[in-house]
Amino acid sequence: NTIVIGGGSTTISVTVFTVDSVPVPNATVTLTASLGTLGAASLTTNAGGGATTTLTPGTIRGIAYVTAAIDNITAVTAVSIIN
Protein backbone atom coordinates (compact mmCIF):
# COMPACT_ATOMS: atom_id res chain seq x y z
CA ASN A 1 0.00 0.00 0.00
CA THR A 2 1.00 3.60 -0.60
CA ILE A 3 -0.56 6.68 0.97
CA VAL A 4 0.07 10.33 0.21
CA ILE A 5 0.75 12.88 2.95
CA GLY A 6 -2.42 14.94 3.23
CA GLY A 7 -4.28 12.52 0.97
CA GLY A 8 -6.26 10.39 3.35
CA SER A 9 -5.61 7.03 4.94
CA THR A 10 -5.34 3.34 4.16
CA THR A 11 -7.09 0.37 5.72
CA ILE A 12 -5.10 -2.02 7.86
CA SER A 13 -6.71 -5.46 8.12
CA VAL A 14 -5.77 -8.33 10.41
CA THR A 15 -7.07 -11.89 10.54
CA VAL A 16 -6.39 -14.23 13.43
CA PHE A 17 -6.61 -17.97 12.95
CA THR A 18 -5.35 -21.16 14.59
CA VAL A 19 -2.66 -23.43 13.17
CA ASP A 20 -5.55 -25.39 11.65
CA SER A 21 -6.80 -22.25 9.81
CA VAL A 22 -9.82 -21.83 12.09
CA PRO A 23 -10.77 -18.15 12.61
CA VAL A 24 -10.42 -16.86 16.19
CA PRO A 25 -13.29 -14.57 17.24
CA ASN A 26 -13.00 -12.07 20.12
CA ALA A 27 -9.19 -12.05 20.06
CA THR A 28 -7.44 -8.84 21.11
CA VAL A 29 -4.79 -7.65 18.67
CA THR A 30 -2.38 -4.84 19.56
CA LEU A 31 -1.09 -2.64 16.74
CA THR A 32 1.86 -0.25 16.52
CA ALA A 33 3.11 1.87 13.62
CA SER A 34 6.57 3.32 13.07
CA LEU A 35 5.12 6.29 11.13
CA GLY A 36 1.67 7.81 10.91
CA THR A 37 -1.29 7.38 13.23
CA LEU A 38 -3.43 4.29 13.68
CA GLY A 39 -7.18 4.67 14.02
CA ALA A 40 -7.04 2.16 16.89
CA ALA A 41 -4.10 0.56 18.67
CA SER A 42 -6.17 -2.34 20.00
CA LEU A 43 -8.67 -4.36 17.97
CA THR A 44 -11.08 -7.19 18.78
CA THR A 45 -11.66 -9.73 16.03
CA ASN A 46 -15.12 -10.47 14.66
CA ALA A 47 -16.73 -13.91 14.18
CA GLY A 48 -14.53 -14.52 11.14
CA GLY A 49 -11.34 -13.66 13.04
CA GLY A 50 -10.94 -10.32 11.26
CA ALA A 51 -10.59 -6.71 12.35
CA THR A 52 -9.72 -3.44 10.61
CA THR A 53 -8.47 0.03 11.40
CA THR A 54 -6.85 2.84 9.44
CA LEU A 55 -3.37 4.30 9.09
CA THR A 56 -3.21 8.04 8.44
CA PRO A 57 0.13 9.57 7.43
CA GLY A 58 1.72 12.34 9.43
CA THR A 59 4.14 14.80 7.86
CA ILE A 60 7.10 12.44 7.49
CA ARG A 61 7.55 10.39 4.33
CA GLY A 62 9.06 6.91 4.38
CA ILE A 63 8.03 3.37 5.15
CA ALA A 64 5.51 2.84 7.95
CA TYR A 65 5.95 -0.57 9.52
CA VAL A 66 2.70 -1.71 11.12
CA THR A 67 3.09 -4.53 13.63
CA ALA A 68 0.19 -6.64 14.86
CA ALA A 69 0.71 -8.68 18.03
CA ILE A 70 -1.35 -11.28 19.83
CA ASP A 71 0.12 -13.28 22.70
CA ASN A 72 3.71 -13.99 21.60
CA ILE A 73 3.04 -13.86 17.86
CA THR A 74 3.67 -10.81 15.65
CA ALA A 75 3.19 -9.94 12.00
CA VAL A 76 4.47 -6.87 10.16
CA THR A 77 3.37 -5.11 7.00
CA ALA A 78 4.88 -2.07 5.29
CA VAL A 79 3.07 0.98 3.92
CA SER A 80 4.85 3.61 1.82
CA ILE A 81 4.14 7.22 2.78
CA ILE A 82 4.94 9.65 -0.02
CA ASN A 83 4.53 13.38 -0.80
Side-chain angles (χ1 to χ4, degrees), residues 18-46:
T18 67
V19 295
D20 298 319
S21 297
V22 176
V24 179
N26 300 313
T28 301
V29 181
T30 303
L31 298 174
T32 58
S34 62
L35 288 175
T37 303
L38 291 165
S42 180
L43 304 174
T44 301
T45 59
N46 60 25

Tab-separated table of all heavy atoms in Angstrom, residues 18-46:
chain	number	residue	atom	x	y	z
A	18	THR	N	-6.153	-20.130	13.925
A	18	THR	CA	-5.349	-21.155	14.589
A	18	THR	C	-4.414	-21.811	13.582
A	18	THR	O	-4.502	-21.547	12.378
A	18	THR	CB	-6.240	-22.243	15.211
A	18	THR	OG1	-6.877	-22.966	14.144
A	18	THR	CG2	-7.287	-21.655	16.153
A	19	VAL	N	-3.553	-22.705	14.061
A	19	VAL	CA	-2.657	-23.434	13.166
A	19	VAL	C	-3.428	-24.312	12.193
A	19	VAL	O	-2.912	-24.703	11.147
A	19	VAL	CB	-1.625	-24.284	13.940
A	19	VAL	CG1	-0.688	-23.395	14.727
A	19	VAL	CG2	-2.309	-25.289	14.842
A	20	ASP	N	-4.686	-24.597	12.527
A	20	ASP	CA	-5.553	-25.392	11.647
A	20	ASP	C	-6.413	-24.515	10.744
A	20	ASP	O	-7.394	-24.983	10.164
A	20	ASP	CB	-6.444	-26.313	12.480
A	20	ASP	CG	-5.641	-27.317	13.288
A	20	ASP	OD1	-4.656	-27.855	12.752
A	20	ASP	OD2	-5.991	-27.543	14.463
A	21	SER	N	-6.089	-23.224	10.655
A	21	SER	CA	-6.797	-22.248	9.811
A	21	SER	C	-8.230	-21.994	10.250
A	21	SER	O	-9.089	-21.646	9.441
A	21	SER	CB	-6.751	-22.668	8.343
A	21	SER	OG	-5.421	-22.686	7.886
A	22	VAL	N	-8.501	-22.133	11.540
A	22	VAL	CA	-9.822	-21.832	12.094
A	22	VAL	C	-9.803	-20.390	12.601
A	22	VAL	O	-8.929	-20.023	13.392
A	22	VAL	CB	-10.176	-22.800	13.250
A	22	VAL	CG1	-11.505	-22.428	13.883
A	22	VAL	CG2	-10.180	-24.241	12.762
A	23	PRO	N	-10.737	-19.545	12.152
A	23	PRO	CA	-10.773	-18.154	12.611
A	23	PRO	C	-10.958	-18.071	14.128
A	23	PRO	O	-11.653	-18.899	14.722
A	23	PRO	CB	-11.996	-17.564	11.896
A	23	PRO	CG	-12.259	-18.476	10.753
A	23	PRO	CD	-11.801	-19.833	11.183
A	24	VAL	N	-10.323	-17.058	14.742
A	24	VAL	CA	-10.416	-16.863	16.193
A	24	VAL	C	-11.221	-15.592	16.467
A	24	VAL	O	-10.716	-14.482	16.283
A	24	VAL	CB	-9.014	-16.747	16.831
A	24	VAL	CG1	-9.131	-16.528	18.337
A	24	VAL	CG2	-8.177	-17.976	16.526
A	25	PRO	N	-12.487	-15.745	16.904
A	25	PRO	CA	-13.289	-14.569	17.235
A	25	PRO	C	-12.914	-14.020	18.613
A	25	PRO	O	-12.371	-14.736	19.454
A	25	PRO	CB	-14.718	-15.104	17.235
A	25	PRO	CG	-14.578	-16.549	17.588
A	25	PRO	CD	-13.247	-16.990	17.021
A	26	ASN	N	-13.188	-12.746	18.828
A	26	ASN	CA	-13.000	-12.067	20.119
A	26	ASN	C	-11.553	-12.062	20.606
A	26	ASN	O	-11.303	-11.966	21.806
A	26	ASN	CB	-13.917	-12.659	21.187
A	26	ASN	CG	-15.373	-12.513	20.812
A	26	ASN	OD1	-15.813	-11.447	20.408
A	26	ASN	ND2	-16.103	-13.598	20.899
A	27	ALA	N	-10.601	-12.150	19.693
A	27	ALA	CA	-9.185	-12.052	20.057
A	27	ALA	C	-8.785	-10.579	20.088
A	27	ALA	O	-9.235	-9.787	19.256
A	27	ALA	CB	-8.318	-12.804	19.059
A	28	THR	N	-7.943	-10.214	21.030
A	28	THR	CA	-7.444	-8.842	21.114
A	28	THR	C	-6.095	-8.750	20.425
A	28	THR	O	-5.168	-9.488	20.758
A	28	THR	CB	-7.314	-8.395	22.586
A	28	THR	OG1	-8.596	-8.481	23.207
A	28	THR	CG2	-6.794	-6.965	22.673
A	29	VAL	N	-6.015	-7.864	19.442
A	29	VAL	CA	-4.790	-7.652	18.670
A	29	VAL	C	-4.284	-6.244	18.970
A	29	VAL	O	-5.045	-5.280	18.904
A	29	VAL	CB	-5.060	-7.800	17.156
A	29	VAL	CG1	-3.783	-7.601	16.359
A	29	VAL	CG2	-5.690	-9.151	16.847
A	30	THR	N	-3.002	-6.134	19.297
A	30	THR	CA	-2.382	-4.844	19.563
A	30	THR	C	-1.585	-4.416	18.337
A	30	THR	O	-0.834	-5.214	17.777
A	30	THR	CB	-1.449	-4.929	20.782
A	30	THR	OG1	-2.206	-5.387	21.900
A	30	THR	CG2	-0.846	-3.573	21.103
A	31	LEU	N	-1.772	-3.165	17.908
A	31	LEU	CA	-1.086	-2.640	16.736
A	31	LEU	C	-0.166	-1.489	17.110
A	31	LEU	O	-0.493	-0.682	17.982
A	31	LEU	CB	-2.087	-2.130	15.706
A	31	LEU	CG	-3.067	-3.137	15.117
A	31	LEU	CD1	-4.062	-2.423	14.234
A	31	LEU	CD2	-2.334	-4.186	14.341
A	32	THR	N	0.969	-1.406	16.414
A	32	THR	CA	1.862	-0.255	16.518
A	32	THR	C	2.284	0.127	15.107
A	32	THR	O	2.288	-0.711	14.203
A	32	THR	CB	3.112	-0.555	17.366
A	32	THR	OG1	3.813	-1.656	16.791
A	32	THR	CG2	2.749	-0.871	18.805
A	33	ALA	N	2.637	1.389	14.916
A	33	ALA	CA	3.110	1.871	13.618
A	33	ALA	C	4.343	2.730	13.825
A	33	ALA	O	4.380	3.559	14.739
A	33	ALA	CB	2.029	2.677	12.902
A	34	SER	N	5.341	2.544	12.956
A	34	SER	CA	6.573	3.321	13.067
A	34	SER	C	6.417	4.741	12.532
A	34	SER	O	7.177	5.633	12.907
A	34	SER	CB	7.714	2.613	12.334
A	34	SER	OG	7.416	2.492	10.952
A	35	LEU	N	5.454	4.966	11.657
A	35	LEU	CA	5.123	6.293	11.126
A	35	LEU	C	3.608	6.402	11.019
A	35	LEU	O	2.923	5.394	10.845
A	35	LEU	CB	5.715	6.506	9.729
A	35	LEU	CG	7.219	6.691	9.593
A	35	LEU	CD1	7.588	6.770	8.106
A	35	LEU	CD2	7.698	7.921	10.308
A	36	GLY	N	3.100	7.601	11.068
A	36	GLY	CA	1.668	7.807	10.906
A	36	GLY	C	0.911	7.536	12.199
A	36	GLY	O	1.488	7.285	13.252
A	37	THR	N	-0.413	7.567	12.077
A	37	THR	CA	-1.290	7.376	13.226
A	37	THR	C	-2.321	6.296	12.921
A	37	THR	O	-3.003	6.355	11.888
A	37	THR	CB	-2.035	8.691	13.555
A	37	THR	OG1	-1.060	9.714	13.796
A	37	THR	CG2	-2.915	8.542	14.771
A	38	LEU	N	-2.430	5.347	13.824
A	38	LEU	CA	-3.433	4.291	13.683
A	38	LEU	C	-4.775	4.781	14.201
A	38	LEU	O	-4.833	5.512	15.192
A	38	LEU	CB	-3.010	3.049	14.462
A	38	LEU	CG	-1.809	2.303	13.917
A	38	LEU	CD1	-1.261	1.340	14.957
A	38	LEU	CD2	-2.192	1.558	12.637
A	39	GLY	N	-5.845	4.341	13.552
A	39	GLY	CA	-7.185	4.670	14.020
A	39	GLY	C	-7.478	4.030	15.367
A	39	GLY	O	-8.212	4.571	16.177
A	40	ALA	N	-6.899	2.863	15.607
A	40	ALA	CA	-7.037	2.161	16.888
A	40	ALA	C	-5.776	1.336	17.104
A	40	ALA	O	-5.253	0.731	16.174
A	40	ALA	CB	-8.261	1.261	16.880
A	41	ALA	N	-5.301	1.326	18.341
A	41	ALA	CA	-4.100	0.555	18.672
A	41	ALA	C	-4.439	-0.819	19.223
A	41	ALA	O	-3.576	-1.666	19.369
A	41	ALA	CB	-3.254	1.319	19.682
A	42	SER	N	-5.719	-1.044	19.509
A	42	SER	CA	-6.170	-2.336	19.997
A	42	SER	C	-7.460	-2.693	19.271
A	42	SER	O	-8.384	-1.881	19.200
A	42	SER	CB	-6.410	-2.283	21.511
A	42	SER	OG	-6.838	-3.538	21.995
A	43	LEU	N	-7.503	-3.903	18.726
A	43	LEU	CA	-8.667	-4.356	17.969
A	43	LEU	C	-9.182	-5.665	18.543
A	43	LEU	O	-8.405	-6.466	19.062
A	43	LEU	CB	-8.293	-4.594	16.505
A	43	LEU	CG	-7.661	-3.435	15.736
A	43	LEU	CD1	-7.223	-3.907	14.361
A	43	LEU	CD2	-8.636	-2.286	15.624
A	44	THR	N	-10.479	-5.912	18.414
A	44	THR	CA	-11.079	-7.191	18.775
A	44	THR	C	-11.620	-7.824	17.506
A	44	THR	O	-12.363	-7.176	16.758
A	44	THR	CB	-12.213	-7.001	19.801
A	44	THR	OG1	-11.677	-6.360	20.959
A	44	THR	CG2	-12.815	-8.341	20.199
A	45	THR	N	-11.246	-9.070	17.265
A	45	THR	CA	-11.658	-9.732	16.029
A	45	THR	C	-13.142	-10.082	16.039
A	45	THR	O	-13.737	-10.324	17.087
A	45	THR	CB	-10.830	-11.004	15.784
A	45	THR	OG1	-10.996	-11.899	16.890
A	45	THR	CG2	-9.354	-10.688	15.611
A	46	ASN	N	-13.714	-10.122	14.838
A	46	ASN	CA	-15.116	-10.475	14.663
A	46	ASN	C	-15.274	-12.002	14.577
A	46	ASN	O	-14.307	-12.741	14.778
A	46	ASN	CB	-15.696	-9.773	13.433
A	46	ASN	CG	-14.970	-10.152	12.155
A	46	ASN	OD1	-14.359	-11.207	12.044
A	46	ASN	ND2	-15.026	-9.260	11.177
